[in-house]
Amino acid sequence: MSAEARALWRARVALLRRVEEAVGELPQVWRQAFVGVPRHVFLPDVVWLRRPGGGRHERCDRAREPERWWAAAYADAPVVVQMCDGGAPRSGGAEWPSSSASQPSIVAAMLLALDVADGHRVLEIGTGTGWNAGLLAHRLDDDRRLVTVEVDVNLARIAEARLAGLGRHPTVVWGDGAEGWATGAPYDRILSTAAVTHIPPAWIRQCRPGAVIVTPWASAWTANGTLVATVDERGRAHGRFRAGGAFMHLRGHRSRITDVDQVFAPDHTPEPGTTTLSPWDVAGADPVAEFAIGLMAPDIWHHWDETPDADGVHTRLWVGDEAGTSWASVDYDGRQLTTFTVHQHGPRPLWTEVESAWSRWHSTGRPDIPAFGWTVSPNGTQHAHVPESAAGPRTTEGADGPSWSL
């Protein structure tokens, strides 16, 4: 074995150790997959990495910064591989991530939740780089039992070629992941690598009774939570949430509101008021509170304005609805944190709805994310199960494992 091959082997083993430090010791079949499927093979030469200390992503070119690129390839951290759906940002807008190689420990946690067994037929939604599909193919050891769907044709083609380069040939489909792939149904397991606001009906129709669906979750308020649901013989699905899961959205589940100006107009005449609920309590200080509000106050989003153009306003929280008909603003004056000025406009009193959701969550003992559930009925209606009382002590990581992110 050459020195380069030894170094690569050590990097793969070191990554496995980092993953197991986060999620615990993996079953042998997954240990073999994480060592046997090299992550770097699935990364393009140009990626985007978060700057130290957070903030925006910055470009990393393998040819110019090989050490940094290789370190990212085998770090327990996400690596962005595409910006702006492969195009340019809007005029005057900043670049935004649209596809990534997910954090390896999060990948492992989701694969464990999927509970794949020998002989299962698996549908993956969101091929991305193809690394996750490579891990699944290694575990199944039968490429005919794996279908992976990618909405971006270029990503799909590149991933298929990379998988083939490792001798893996699952069915790679270019299409809308929300539609699944009926040709390969029925499936025993469905794994999504993109966040959804509800379970696409096609996924349930394409499941065998007893099938498990694992998907990151998103509400208009926050992208946080991973749903693990089981489908029964009547076409119903019921599951519980796990902490975290801040993945990029399935494209059809993205918000259509991208700017406050799509909702707010200078000639609006809002209703004034005050609140004693701190905007930071519902938007920034507590991810569990944000998750609860996202389920209990549906179709409401928020946006922080750190430099509002308004006299006497230091910081403003904007709140709007997905219909684009209502908005609210909550203002911090920069001096005191007991009372905040509120303005509401439109048919929905949005801040009042947020206050009501927060009060309900707080009055039931601030239950943690695993206390919440989601149900899909046979007629296709979907709704959240909100606990009436706290279900066990709250923890930073949640009751079911590590806090998951992109």
Side-chain angles (χ1 to χ4, degrees), residues 97 150 288 309 315 371 398:
E150 173 55 51
V288 180
D309 184 18
T315 305

Side-chain angles (χ1 to χ4, degrees), residues 79-236:
V79 177
V80 173
V81 300
Q82 184 194 70
M83 288 286 191
C84 306
D85 290 337
R90 292 188 310 162
S91 178
E95 287 188 319
W96 46 274
S98 54
S99 183
S100 72
S102 300
Q103 185 172 336
S105 59
I106 294 166
V107 169
M110 293 180 71
L111 290 172
L112 290 173
L114 195 64
D115 193 25
V116 176
D118 294 340
H120 276 167
R121 186 158 182 80
V122 179
L123 172 65
E124 180 194 39
I125 306 298
T127 312
T129 66
W131 184 58
N132 201 75
L135 295 171
L136 280 166
H138 193 290
R139 166 63 185 88
L140 292 167
D141 200 28
D142 184 348
D143 295 346
R144 296 170 299 176
R145 294 190 170 276
L146 175 61
V147 176
T148 178
V149 181
E150 173 55 51
V151 70
D152 187 301
V153 64
N154 292 323
L155 291 178
R157 288 171 176 167
I158 293 169
E160 186 172 26
R162 288 170 176 157
L163 287 162
L166 294 178
R168 294 294 178 184
H169 302 278
T171 301
V172 180
V173 177
W174 169 42
D176 182 358
E179 297 302 319
W181 197 59
T183 303
Y187 301 101
D188 301 284
R189 298 290 186 268
I190 295 181
L191 173 67
S192 176
T193 64
V196 300
T197 57
H198 60 275
I199 300 178
W203 296 3
I204 297 174
R205 291 195 301 268
Q206 294 169 23
C207 279
R208 295 183 192 275
V212 173
I213 298 173
V214 176
T215 179
W217 196 257
S219 64
W221 193 261
T222 184
N224 182 25
T226 295
L227 179 66
V228 181
T230 302
V231 179
D232 68 17
E233 66 281 352
R234 295 176 56 191
R236 298 177 300 184

Side-chain angles (χ1 to χ4, degrees), residues 349-361:
L350 296 182
W351 183 250
T352 302
E353 290 186 35
V354 171
E355 286 183 311
S356 176
W358 188 89
S359 295
R360 181 180 176 189
W361 173 72

